[in-house]
Amino acid sequence: MNKKVFIFDDNTDILDLCTLILEDAGYEIKTSATSNNITGQVSAYMPDIIFMDNWLPDVGGIEATQELKNHPDLKHIPVIYFSANNDVKALAEKAGADSYLPKPFDIHALEDIVKSYVG
């Protein structure tokens, strides 16, 4: 059974790139350009790890991450905050994310962070 990764980002190039890299590494990928109804989207897929962009339309990454971390059935899922913002570490902490990955990111850094959380 492949490990499942859910990526939230409104940049289709990032979604395509992450999908390509992680599918090649043997993961099952789902993507979304919006974090609207975040608990519904995540509950329907139940990923092993989530990547959350900071700048998302309507509901931003911080609010979406906090909603997940406050949900009893979803709070165990690691959320990796990823952003081109210089302050990605502080944003990740504010959101309650498990870790963060600055953009632009190295392909190996992306694979390594997934492996460190889901193997």
Side-chain angles (χ1 to χ4, degrees), residues 10 14 29 39 63 83 118:
D10 61 344
I14 295 275
I29 313 298
T39 55
E63 195 180 322
S83 172
V118 299

Side-chain angles (χ1 to χ4, degrees), residues 46-117:
M46 288 310 282
D48 296 290
I49 189 169
I50 295 166
F51 281 87
M52 183 70 69
D53 184 30
N54 185 53
W55 301 108
L56 288 161
D58 303 325
V59 180
I62 288 176
E63 195 180 322
T65 302
Q66 289 170 340
E67 207 176 312
L68 290 172
K69 289 302 180 183
N70 288 325
H71 193 287
D73 299 330
L74 306 174
K75 64 183 180 188
H76 68 282
I77 302 170
V79 176
I80 310 303
Y81 214 75
F82 74 150
S83 172
N85 189 300
N86 291 339
D87 225 7
V88 63
K89 182 174 188 248
L91 292 170
E93 285 169 3
K94 183 177 178 189
D98 297 84
S99 190
Y100 64 93
L101 181 65
K103 292 179 194 169
F105 52 82
D106 177 89
I107 290 171
H108 299 296
L110 177 69
E111 290 177 338
D112 289 348
I113 205 161
V114 173
K115 276 186 204 142
S116 71
Y117 280 93

